[in-house]
Structures are given as C-alpha cells and as structure tokens.
Amino acid sequence: MVRMQCAHEGSVDYDLSGSGVPPPRLDEIIDTQDLLRELLSERQGYAPAGGSPALRSSIASIYSGAGPENIMVTNGATEANFVGAWRLLEKGDEIVVIVPNYLQTWNLATSWGVRVKPLQLREEAGWQFDLEEIKSVVTSNTKAVQLCNPNNPTGAALSDEHRKALLDAARETDAWVLCDEVYIGAEVDGVRTRSLWGTYERMLVTNGLCKAYGLPGLRVGWLVGEQETLKELTAYRDYLTLTHSTPSDYVARVVLERERREKILSQNQAFIREGFRNLLDWGRNRDPPFSWVSPRAGPMCFASYHSGEGSLDIATRLLKEKSVLVVPGVQLGMDGYLRIATGVPREYLHEGLSRLSDIIADG
Ligand SMILES: Cc1ncc(COP(=O)(O)O)c(C=O)c1O
C-alpha cells in the first residue's frame, strides 16, 4: 500500500489515498519565537532513550492511571508497532490480527515466520467482529491479538460489548493485546474513544502524532505499557534506532501541552466532520455504485462496491484511466472494498468520487 501511494500520490490529479488530515505548519499552532529560541539553544545530543521526562509526563497525562514510566517515545507509531511485535513474536508463534487493518503487524509477522489468523470485522455488524467467532479464533496457541481502534480503514470503534469480548478472550488465553490507537481523538462526533490502556496487564498500546494530531512529519510515536515490559522493549529498540530526534522531542512537548493538544484535536475533528459532510452531500442526489458505513473516526471511508471486480484491478484502472488514487481494500486485508480519503477539499473530493463512479460503472 505504502509503495503504491509513494509511487503515485505526487503525480495523480486526485489523490484520495491518504488517511490523515492536512498537516498544519508549526507557526499555525505554536508561538514560533519561543520555539526557535528553545530549539536553537538546545544541545543536539541524543534524546533520552524512551523520551525526555517532560514529554513522557505529557503523554502519560493522556492515559488514566499511567505515569512517565509507562511511556516509551518512538520514531512514529510505526516504530512503536514494530518494537512491540518484534519483542513478542517469534517464528512458529501465532497472532490474531483483526481485519481490515493497517497491515504493518500482519506483514511483519508473516515475514518472521509467525502464523497469522484473521478475525474479520463485519460490515453488516457496523464493522464489529462476531462475538462467537472470537472465541474460536483466539485460542491457547494465540500469542497476541493485534487491532487498530478506532479502525483504519473502516473508521469504526469497538463497542463496549466487543471491547469486553476482546479482553475476555485475551485473559482466558493469556494472549497479549497490541492496540494501535492513532485515531483516538479523530472522532467525527468529538466523543473520545476509550483507550484500552489500563484494562489488562498484557496490553501494549501504540499511538503517535500522525493522525488525530495531523503531525506525521515530527515522527513522534509512543508505546504505553507496564514498566517492566517497556524496559525490555527499550533494549530491543537499542538495536533499531537507539532513540528519536531531539528537536522533535522538544516540539512534541509543546504540541502536547494540554490546552494546545485539545485545540489541535478539535480543529482536526471539525475538518474531519466537514469532509464527511462533503461525502454525504456528494452522494445525496445520486445513486453511487458504492456504499459505506458512516465512520466513527478518521478522515476516510471504506466503501463496498458490487461489480465483482478485484479492488486492485479497480484501483489500477482508476489510476491509469482517471488519474485518481484510492487504496484497494486487498491492501488492507479485505477485497471488494476501497478506502477513500475524505480529508481533502470539497470540490476535489467530489470530482475524485465522480471519476471513481464512472470506473466502477464501466467495470
Ligand atoms: C493505523 C496506523 N498506524 C500507524 C501508522 C503510521 O504511523 P506513524 O506515521 O506515526 O509512523 C499509520 C499510517 O497511516 C496508520 O494508519
């Protein structure tokens, strides 16, 4: 998915493949005089492994019951996801991945010789998993369950009932839970999804500034876990990148000051709401050849179509014939769907959707 995006996102007429909000400039969210003074006077040594105490405290304040010792700062959520999976999984293990999903963990696990079992989210159930199925998929052989909540690409969040079923299944089998929460704070209705942190000892939560905060370029992510677990993960991380960037540590501290972070999140939520309204407006007086379940979070929708054509084929025709880029569902673990970005200007979205409709109708 990432390779296809990188190859085409700069050259297509309409790029609807993204999964984030437009990133702000730093001078739109921070007093840059102060920032510059601090940045220029800071010595550019290695940032403390795991994050500066101030940054870890700010991040910990987002999670009820967490302290700085429960936080490890990483290079983006990508590194957080990697380190957690790397520590936990070995060749011959088994992991359950809730799909569709951002497939980083799935693909890493496969490449390490780990057996991957899918647990399907079901569109007809509002993108929740089946409460019976989880009991048969998560077994005593399951080393870990990985999910993204709220979910990329569907935008759905686990209901209370499904959250409990997940935790029950993990407790019964002693499985770890790896939960990517980069979309918490990006809810369309502004109602914050509850983190899974604090619900179970074998829990590793990952997050970062990339999605809800709209600041992927800072490359700041983090893991939330038990102190002993994080100590082990730090040793693994020593072999990967040692630490994150010193300037980004400082900027992230400023970004995550309580009032500022809430303001950033609510601005991004307003943008996400507007994108979703634009999507609905476009569909209102038409009979589009695709449909979607309203996302709870994130600037995207996961649209189903019924032409029978593979999603990679549709996405490839759309790219070649109409210069529009979307993500084929098959790259997110579920064919027959397309992920469409809504975090773009209204006219841009509408034209991209119209071209997509033509392609599906021609199929
Ligand atoms: C669910 C999810 N996790 C992690 C990432 C990457 O995070 P980062 O940019 O912080 O490394 C993405 C990027 O699209 C994502 O969708």
Side-chain angles (χ1 to χ4, degrees):
M1 175 187 78
V2 173
R3 282 304 100 218
M4 184 166 167
Q5 284 175 309
C6 289
H8 302 290
E9 64 193 357
S11 56
V12 288
D13 289 350
Y14 295 91
D15 177 14
L16 301 183
S17 71
S19 55
V21 296
R25 296 187 338 215
L26 283 182
D27 63 4
E28 291 169 338
I29 53 173
I30 289 176
D31 177 343
T32 39
Q33 291 289 336
D34 290 352
L35 178 77
L36 262 184
R37 199 173 327 107
E38 288 290 338
L39 272 181
L40 295 178
S41 62
E42 199 170 31
R43 292 191 185 281
Q44 295 303 306
Y46 285 115
S52 63
L55 178 55
R56 287 159 68 186
S57 294
S58 294
I59 297 171
S61 71
I62 299 172
Y63 299 91
S64 153
E69 67 282 4
N70 299 114
I71 307 298
M72 174 176 154
V73 178
T74 56
N75 289 282
T78 302
E79 191 181 36
N81 288 336
F82 184 95
V83 175
W86 192 26
R87 163 68 190 87
L88 287 181
L89 301 175
E90 279 168 25
K91 192 172 176 170
D93 282 344
E94 184 179 290
I95 184 171
V96 171
V97 175
I98 299 186
V99 286
N101 199 332
Y102 183 67
L103 291 186
Q104 182 189 358
T105 307
W106 176 298
N107 289 327
L108 282 173
T110 307
S111 76
W112 293 333
V114 171
R115 180 158 175 254
V116 184
K117 277 164 77 181
L119 174 62
Q120 214 81 45
L121 297 174
R122 303 197 176 272
E123 183 182 13
E124 64 280 11
W127 291 117
Q128 304 288 325
F129 55 77
D130 184 281
L131 291 168
E132 285 307 310
E133 194 181 349
I134 190 171
K135 294 182 196 160
S136 58
V137 174
V138 178
T139 68
S140 54
N141 293 329
T142 307
K143 185 82 171 279
V145 181
Q146 195 274 337
L147 74 158
C148 177
N149 190 48
N151 178 256
N152 175 2
T154 65
L158 289 184
S159 74
D160 288 349
E161 199 182 11
H162 289 83
R163 187 181 153 96
K164 179 173 178 313
L166 168 71
L167 292 169
D168 287 349
R171 272 197 199 99
E172 264 167 43
T173 55
D174 274 341
W176 282 83
V177 177
L178 304 174
C179 187
D180 181 329
E181 298 185 345
V182 292
Y183 285 99
I184 288 192
E187 290 80 4
V188 178
D189 62 5
V191 179
R192 199 75 43 96
T193 308
R194 278 185 301 150
S195 171
L196 277 173
W197 160 253
T199 53
Y200 175 50
E201 323 70 67
R202 296 188 163 209
M203 175 71 61
L204 273 178
V205 160
T206 56
N207 202 339
L209 295 181
C210 57
K211 300 298 173 191
Y213 296 91
L215 295 162
L218 291 179
R219 306 309 302 135
V220 170
W222 57 85
L223 274 146
V224 197
E226 295 295 340
Q227 191 174 7
E228 283 310 306
T229 313
L230 292 193
K231 267 192 197 149
E232 287 179 28
L233 294 184
T234 305
Y236 273 71
R237 202 268 188 99
D238 287 344
Y239 289 91
L240 191 62
T241 57
L242 278 182
T243 186
H244 54 294
S245 124
T246 297
S248 285
D249 189 289
Y250 178 73
V251 179
R253 262 179 267 163
V254 179
V255 163
L256 286 173
E257 283 165 8
R258 191 180 296 270
E259 251 179 61
R260 184 174 284 109
R261 77 179 179 232
E262 290 305 324
K263 194 166 160 211
I264 294 172
L265 290 177
S266 73
Q267 278 169 352
N268 290 340
Q269 284 161 9
F271 183 84
I272 289 168
R273 259 195 305 282
E274 191 186 319
F276 191 54
R277 260 199 310 272
N278 293 338
L279 172 69
L280 292 177
D281 286 349
W282 177 82
R284 213 177 302 283
N285 299 317
R286 290 181 176 78
D287 186 14
F290 53 87
S291 59
W292 60 89
V293 173
S294 302
R296 169 125 165 58
M300 63 205 159
C301 71
F302 201 47
S304 64
Y305 58 89
H306 304 287
S307 68
E309 190 178 0
S311 58
L312 185 58
D313 290 342
I314 291 199
T316 305
R317 281 201 300 120
L318 181 64
L319 183 63
K320 288 199 176 136
E321 294 171 30
K322 301 281 184 182
S323 194
V324 178
L325 185 63
V326 296
V327 177
V330 71
Q331 293 177 347
L332 297 155
M334 199 175 268
D335 209 356
Y337 293 83
L338 299 166
R339 191 185 72 189
I340 303 170
T342 53
V344 293
R346 183 181 169 89
E347 298 312 320
Y348 188 99
L349 176 67
H350 286 188
E351 180 57 27
L353 292 171
S354 297
R355 292 186 187 196
L356 170 61
S357 294
D358 292 346
I359 282 288
I360 296 178
D362 283 353

